[in-house]
Amino acid sequence: MTITAHINVETQAGRKIVRELEKHRKLVQIDYPDITGIENERTYTLDESYKECEAILSKNYGVDVSKL
């Protein structure tokens, strides 16, 4: 029989449970989520991010924030 569990490792108790499970490699198979999906996303320079934030603020407040 197999049981699937979702453990929140953002809490201390969750991390403790995972550490305990990792001790039993012959009995437990741990599948970690794939967090490497970054290669398909575009990265932005600091300048591009700043300009985008200025544009959003300017639109929301009706003032050209870049001139403040």
Side-chain angles (χ1 to χ4, degrees):
M1 177 171 35
T2 302
I3 296 174
T4 303
H6 298 274
I7 301 169
N8 182 0
V9 294
E10 293 179 3
T11 65
Q12 184 178 7
R15 289 188 295 272
K16 184 176 179 181
I17 292 168
V18 171
R19 279 194 305 271
E20 186 63 33
L21 291 172
E22 287 175 335
K23 293 178 184 178
H24 306 282
R25 290 286 182 179
K26 291 182 180 178
L27 301 171
V28 177
Q29 176 187 354
I30 299 175
D31 295 324
Y32 293 98
D34 182 24
I35 57 171
T36 61
I38 296 172
E39 65 268 3
N40 294 332
E41 296 181 17
R42 182 182 185 282
T43 56
Y44 295 88
T45 65
L46 181 59
D47 217 24
E48 291 172 322
S49 297
Y50 188 80
K51 297 245 183 250
E52 181 66 25
C53 290
E54 281 182 338
I56 292 169
L57 289 171
S58 295
K59 179 183 171 192
N60 288 342
Y61 291 105
V63 176
D64 189 0
V65 176
S66 64
K67 295 184 179 179
L68 295 179

